[in-house]
PDB file of all heavy atoms in Angstrom:
ATOM      1  N   PHE A 277     -43.617   5.514   5.890  1.00 96.00           N
ATOM      2  CA  PHE A 277     -43.258   5.589   7.311  1.00 96.00           C
ATOM      3  C   PHE A 277     -41.787   5.953   7.504  1.00 96.00           C
ATOM      4  O   PHE A 277     -41.445   6.830   8.304  1.00 96.00           O
ATOM      5  CB  PHE A 277     -43.555   4.242   7.985  1.00 96.00           C
ATOM      6  CG  PHE A 277     -43.195   4.194   9.451  1.00 96.00           C
ATOM      7  CD1 PHE A 277     -43.790   5.058  10.354  1.00 96.00           C
ATOM      8  CD2 PHE A 277     -42.272   3.270   9.919  1.00 96.00           C
ATOM      9  CE1 PHE A 277     -43.463   5.010  11.705  1.00 96.00           C
ATOM     10  CE2 PHE A 277     -41.935   3.219  11.262  1.00 96.00           C
ATOM     11  CZ  PHE A 277     -42.536   4.096  12.156  1.00 96.00           C
ATOM     12  N   LEU A 278     -40.887   5.274   6.756  1.00 95.00           N
ATOM     13  CA  LEU A 278     -39.452   5.478   6.945  1.00 95.00           C
ATOM     14  C   LEU A 278     -38.864   6.538   6.014  1.00 95.00           C
ATOM     15  O   LEU A 278     -37.817   7.107   6.319  1.00 95.00           O
ATOM     16  CB  LEU A 278     -38.702   4.158   6.742  1.00 95.00           C
ATOM     17  CG  LEU A 278     -38.991   3.042   7.744  1.00 95.00           C
ATOM     18  CD1 LEU A 278     -38.183   1.802   7.389  1.00 95.00           C
ATOM     19  CD2 LEU A 278     -38.679   3.489   9.166  1.00 95.00           C
ATOM     20  N   GLY A 279     -39.520   6.772   4.877  1.00 95.00           N
ATOM     21  CA  GLY A 279     -39.019   7.748   3.932  1.00 95.00           C
ATOM     22  C   GLY A 279     -38.203   7.106   2.826  1.00 95.00           C
ATOM     23  O   GLY A 279     -37.474   6.130   3.049  1.00 95.00           O
ATOM     24  N   GLN A 280     -38.317   7.664   1.621  1.00 93.00           N
ATOM     25  CA  GLN A 280     -37.609   7.131   0.472  1.00 93.00           C
ATOM     26  C   GLN A 280     -36.096   7.181   0.669  1.00 93.00           C
ATOM     27  O   GLN A 280     -35.371   6.291   0.220  1.00 93.00           O
ATOM     28  CB  GLN A 280     -38.004   7.919  -0.782  1.00 93.00           C
ATOM     29  CG  GLN A 280     -37.326   7.442  -2.062  1.00 93.00           C
ATOM     30  CD  GLN A 280     -37.617   5.984  -2.370  1.00 93.00           C
ATOM     31  OE1 GLN A 280     -38.781   5.589  -2.359  1.00 93.00           O
ATOM     32  NE2 GLN A 280     -36.593   5.189  -2.649  1.00 93.00           N
ATOM     33  N   GLN A 281     -35.626   8.207   1.344  1.00 92.00           N
ATOM     34  CA  GLN A 281     -34.192   8.349   1.575  1.00 92.00           C
ATOM     35  C   GLN A 281     -33.644   7.136   2.322  1.00 92.00           C
ATOM     36  O   GLN A 281     -32.522   6.680   2.066  1.00 92.00           O
ATOM     37  CB  GLN A 281     -33.935   9.621   2.394  1.00 92.00           C
ATOM     38  CG  GLN A 281     -32.491  10.050   2.491  1.00 92.00           C
ATOM     39  CD  GLN A 281     -32.053  10.896   1.311  1.00 92.00           C
ATOM     40  OE1 GLN A 281     -32.805  11.035   0.352  1.00 92.00           O
ATOM     41  NE2 GLN A 281     -30.851  11.439   1.375  1.00 92.00           N
ATOM     42  N   CYS A 282     -34.442   6.593   3.225  1.00 94.00           N
ATOM     43  CA  CYS A 282     -34.020   5.447   4.040  1.00 94.00           C
ATOM     44  C   CYS A 282     -34.147   4.144   3.251  1.00 94.00           C
ATOM     45  O   CYS A 282     -33.156   3.420   3.088  1.00 94.00           O
ATOM     46  CB  CYS A 282     -34.858   5.388   5.314  1.00 94.00           C
ATOM     47  SG  CYS A 282     -34.528   3.967   6.364  1.00 94.00           S
ATOM     48  N   VAL A 283     -35.342   3.827   2.752  1.00 94.00           N
ATOM     49  CA  VAL A 283     -35.532   2.529   2.096  1.00 94.00           C
ATOM     50  C   VAL A 283     -34.740   2.443   0.798  1.00 94.00           C
ATOM     51  O   VAL A 283     -34.404   1.352   0.329  1.00 94.00           O
ATOM     52  CB  VAL A 283     -37.024   2.226   1.847  1.00 94.00           C
ATOM     53  CG1 VAL A 283     -37.772   2.082   3.156  1.00 94.00           C
ATOM     54  CG2 VAL A 283     -37.672   3.283   0.961  1.00 94.00           C
ATOM     55  N   GLY A 284     -34.402   3.582   0.199  1.00 92.00           N
ATOM     56  CA  GLY A 284     -33.640   3.573  -1.043  1.00 92.00           C
ATOM     57  C   GLY A 284     -32.226   3.069  -0.883  1.00 92.00           C
ATOM     58  O   GLY A 284     -31.594   2.654  -1.867  1.00 92.00           O
ATOM     59  N   VAL A 285     -31.697   3.093   0.334  1.00 93.00           N
ATOM     60  CA  VAL A 285     -30.347   2.562   0.563  1.00 93.00           C
ATOM     61  C   VAL A 285     -30.379   1.302   1.431  1.00 93.00           C
ATOM     62  O   VAL A 285     -29.349   0.858   1.925  1.00 93.00           O
ATOM     63  CB  VAL A 285     -29.408   3.621   1.198  1.00 93.00           C
ATOM     64  CG1 VAL A 285     -29.123   4.734   0.213  1.00 93.00           C
ATOM     65  CG2 VAL A 285     -29.966   4.167   2.502  1.00 93.00           C
ATOM     66  N   ASP A 286     -31.573   0.737   1.603  1.00 93.00           N
ATOM     67  CA  ASP A 286     -31.672  -0.575   2.248  1.00 93.00           C
ATOM     68  C   ASP A 286     -31.456  -1.610   1.146  1.00 93.00           C
ATOM     69  O   ASP A 286     -32.396  -2.114   0.531  1.00 93.00           O
ATOM     70  CB  ASP A 286     -33.036  -0.754   2.903  1.00 93.00           C
ATOM     71  CG  ASP A 286     -33.174  -2.112   3.571  1.00 93.00           C
ATOM     72  OD1 ASP A 286     -32.168  -2.606   4.129  1.00 93.00           O
ATOM     73  OD2 ASP A 286     -34.278  -2.691   3.523  1.00 93.00           O
ATOM     74  N   VAL A 287     -30.191  -1.902   0.893  1.00 95.00           N
ATOM     75  CA  VAL A 287     -29.820  -2.689  -0.285  1.00 95.00           C
ATOM     76  C   VAL A 287     -29.041  -3.935   0.125  1.00 95.00           C
ATOM     77  O   VAL A 287     -28.646  -4.097   1.281  1.00 95.00           O
ATOM     78  CB  VAL A 287     -28.973  -1.847  -1.265  1.00 95.00           C
ATOM     79  CG1 VAL A 287     -29.826  -0.725  -1.841  1.00 95.00           C
ATOM     80  CG2 VAL A 287     -27.737  -1.272  -0.576  1.00 95.00           C
ATOM     81  N   ASN A 288     -28.801  -4.780  -0.857  1.00 92.00           N
ATOM     82  CA  ASN A 288     -28.074  -6.026  -0.653  1.00 92.00           C
ATOM     83  C   ASN A 288     -26.583  -5.805  -0.934  1.00 92.00           C
ATOM     84  O   ASN A 288     -26.188  -4.839  -1.587  1.00 92.00           O
ATOM     85  CB  ASN A 288     -28.645  -7.098  -1.591  1.00 92.00           C
ATOM     86  CG  ASN A 288     -28.160  -8.486  -1.249  1.00 92.00           C
ATOM     87  OD1 ASN A 288     -27.899  -8.777  -0.079  1.00 92.00           O
ATOM     88  ND2 ASN A 288     -28.032  -9.342  -2.239  1.00 92.00           N
ATOM     89  N   SER A 289     -25.764  -6.728  -0.433  1.00 91.00           N
ATOM     90  CA  SER A 289     -24.335  -6.677  -0.760  1.00 91.00           C
ATOM     91  C   SER A 289     -24.139  -6.870  -2.261  1.00 91.00           C
ATOM     92  O   SER A 289     -24.782  -7.706  -2.884  1.00 91.00           O
ATOM     93  CB  SER A 289     -23.582  -7.777  -0.013  1.00 91.00           C
ATOM     94  OG  SER A 289     -23.653  -7.553   1.383  1.00 91.00           O
ATOM     95  N   MET A 290     -23.250  -6.074  -2.826  1.00 92.00           N
ATOM     96  CA  MET A 290     -22.899  -6.174  -4.252  1.00 92.00           C
ATOM     97  C   MET A 290     -21.489  -5.615  -4.403  1.00 92.00           C
ATOM     98  O   MET A 290     -20.972  -4.971  -3.486  1.00 92.00           O
ATOM     99  CB  MET A 290     -23.903  -5.407  -5.105  1.00 92.00           C
ATOM    100  CG  MET A 290     -23.989  -3.934  -4.755  1.00 92.00           C
ATOM    101  SD  MET A 290     -25.354  -3.086  -5.574  1.00 92.00           S
ATOM    102  CE  MET A 290     -26.761  -3.648  -4.619  1.00 92.00           C
ATOM    103  N   LYS A 291     -20.875  -5.840  -5.535  1.00 91.00           N
ATOM    104  CA  LYS A 291     -19.466  -5.460  -5.700  1.00 91.00           C
ATOM    105  C   LYS A 291     -19.165  -4.005  -5.347  1.00 91.00           C
ATOM    106  O   LYS A 291     -18.211  -3.733  -4.627  1.00 91.00           O
ATOM    107  CB  LYS A 291     -18.989  -5.789  -7.114  1.00 91.00           C
ATOM    108  CG  LYS A 291     -18.645  -7.256  -7.305  1.00 91.00           C
ATOM    109  CD  LYS A 291     -17.942  -7.499  -8.631  1.00 91.00           C
ATOM    110  CE  LYS A 291     -17.517  -8.974  -8.744  1.00 91.00           C
ATOM    111  NZ  LYS A 291     -16.817  -9.239 -10.018  1.00 91.00           N
ATOM    112  N   PRO A 292     -19.960  -3.040  -5.804  1.00 92.00           N
ATOM    113  CA  PRO A 292     -19.620  -1.658  -5.475  1.00 92.00           C
ATOM    114  C   PRO A 292     -19.750  -1.332  -3.985  1.00 92.00           C
ATOM    115  O   PRO A 292     -19.176  -0.353  -3.513  1.00 92.00           O
ATOM    116  CB  PRO A 292     -20.625  -0.831  -6.289  1.00 92.00           C
ATOM    117  CG  PRO A 292     -21.156  -1.749  -7.318  1.00 92.00           C
ATOM    118  CD  PRO A 292     -21.108  -3.115  -6.725  1.00 92.00           C
ATOM    119  N   LEU A 293     -20.532  -2.160  -3.251  1.00 95.00           N
ATOM    120  CA  LEU A 293     -20.811  -1.868  -1.838  1.00 95.00           C
ATOM    121  C   LEU A 293     -20.104  -2.826  -0.889  1.00 95.00           C
ATOM    122  O   LEU A 293     -20.265  -2.706   0.319  1.00 95.00           O
ATOM    123  CB  LEU A 293     -22.326  -1.908  -1.594  1.00 95.00           C
ATOM    124  CG  LEU A 293     -23.152  -0.878  -2.378  1.00 95.00           C
ATOM    125  CD1 LEU A 293     -24.627  -1.034  -2.051  1.00 95.00           C
ATOM    126  CD2 LEU A 293     -22.683   0.545  -2.080  1.00 95.00           C
ATOM    127  N   ASP A 294     -19.345  -3.789  -1.413  1.00 96.00           N
ATOM    128  CA  ASP A 294     -18.562  -4.693  -0.586  1.00 96.00           C
ATOM    129  C   ASP A 294     -19.467  -5.701   0.129  1.00 96.00           C
ATOM    130  O   ASP A 294     -20.678  -5.731  -0.065  1.00 96.00           O
ATOM    131  CB  ASP A 294     -17.709  -3.889   0.411  1.00 96.00           C
ATOM    132  CG  ASP A 294     -16.417  -4.590   0.802  1.00 96.00           C
ATOM    133  OD1 ASP A 294     -16.193  -5.739   0.382  1.00 96.00           O
ATOM    134  OD2 ASP A 294     -15.604  -3.978   1.517  1.00 96.00           O
ATOM    135  N   ASN A 295     -18.877  -6.549   0.957  1.00 96.00           N
ATOM    136  CA  ASN A 295     -19.621  -7.588   1.664  1.00 96.00           C
ATOM    137  C   ASN A 295     -19.080  -7.704   3.078  1.00 96.00           C
ATOM    138  O   ASN A 295     -17.878  -7.867   3.285  1.00 96.00           O
ATOM    139  CB  ASN A 295     -19.473  -8.935   0.929  1.00 96.00           C
ATOM    140  CG  ASN A 295     -20.387 -10.001   1.489  1.00 96.00           C
ATOM    141  OD1 ASN A 295     -20.321 -10.331   2.667  1.00 96.00           O
ATOM    142  ND2 ASN A 295     -21.251 -10.543   0.644  1.00 96.00           N
ATOM    143  N   LEU A 296     -19.985  -7.599   4.064  1.00 97.00           N
ATOM    144  CA  LEU A 296     -19.571  -7.588   5.469  1.00 97.00           C
ATOM    145  C   LEU A 296     -18.877  -8.878   5.887  1.00 97.00           C
ATOM    146  O   LEU A 296     -18.023  -8.870   6.773  1.00 97.00           O
ATOM    147  CB  LEU A 296     -20.790  -7.335   6.366  1.00 97.00           C
ATOM    148  CG  LEU A 296     -20.523  -7.203   7.867  1.00 97.00           C
ATOM    149  CD1 LEU A 296     -19.566  -6.058   8.163  1.00 97.00           C
ATOM    150  CD2 LEU A 296     -21.822  -7.014   8.632  1.00 97.00           C
ATOM    151  N   CYS A 297     -19.231  -9.996   5.271  1.00 96.00           N
ATOM    152  CA  CYS A 297     -18.623 -11.278   5.654  1.00 96.00           C
ATOM    153  C   CYS A 297     -17.162 -11.380   5.218  1.00 96.00           C
ATOM    154  O   CYS A 297     -16.366 -12.093   5.849  1.00 96.00           O
ATOM    155  CB  CYS A 297     -19.406 -12.442   5.039  1.00 96.00           C
ATOM    156  SG  CYS A 297     -21.080 -12.600   5.679  1.00 96.00           S
ATOM    157  N   HIS A 298     -16.821 -10.680   4.144  1.00 96.00           N
ATOM    158  CA  HIS A 298     -15.452 -10.733   3.629  1.00 96.00           C
ATOM    159  C   HIS A 298     -15.140  -9.401   2.949  1.00 96.00           C
ATOM    160  O   HIS A 298     -15.064  -9.313   1.726  1.00 96.00           O
ATOM    161  CB  HIS A 298     -15.298 -11.894   2.637  1.00 96.00           C
ATOM    162  CG  HIS A 298     -13.881 -12.127   2.209  1.00 96.00           C
ATOM    163  ND1 HIS A 298     -12.969 -12.822   2.975  1.00 96.00           N
ATOM    164  CD2 HIS A 298     -13.215 -11.740   1.086  1.00 96.00           C
ATOM    165  CE1 HIS A 298     -11.807 -12.846   2.341  1.00 96.00           C
ATOM    166  NE2 HIS A 298     -11.925 -12.195   1.189  1.00 96.00           N
ATOM    167  N   PRO A 299     -14.973  -8.349   3.728  1.00 97.00           N
ATOM    168  CA  PRO A 299     -14.821  -7.019   3.137  1.00 97.00           C
ATOM    169  C   PRO A 299     -13.464  -6.827   2.459  1.00 97.00           C
ATOM    170  O   PRO A 299     -12.434  -7.231   2.988  1.00 97.00           O
ATOM    171  CB  PRO A 299     -14.964  -6.078   4.340  1.00 97.00           C
ATOM    172  CG  PRO A 299     -14.606  -6.897   5.523  1.00 97.00           C
ATOM    173  CD  PRO A 299     -15.006  -8.297   5.204  1.00 97.00           C
TER     174      PRO A 299
END
Side-chain angles (χ1 to χ4, degrees):
F277 179 60
L278 295 179
Q280 180 59 50
Q281 191 85 352
C282 176
V283 295
V285 292
D286 180 36
V287 294
N288 192 31
S289 296
M290 59 189 76
K291 280 190 176 181
L293 298 180
D294 209 355
N295 189 301
L296 184 59
C297 294
H298 188 80

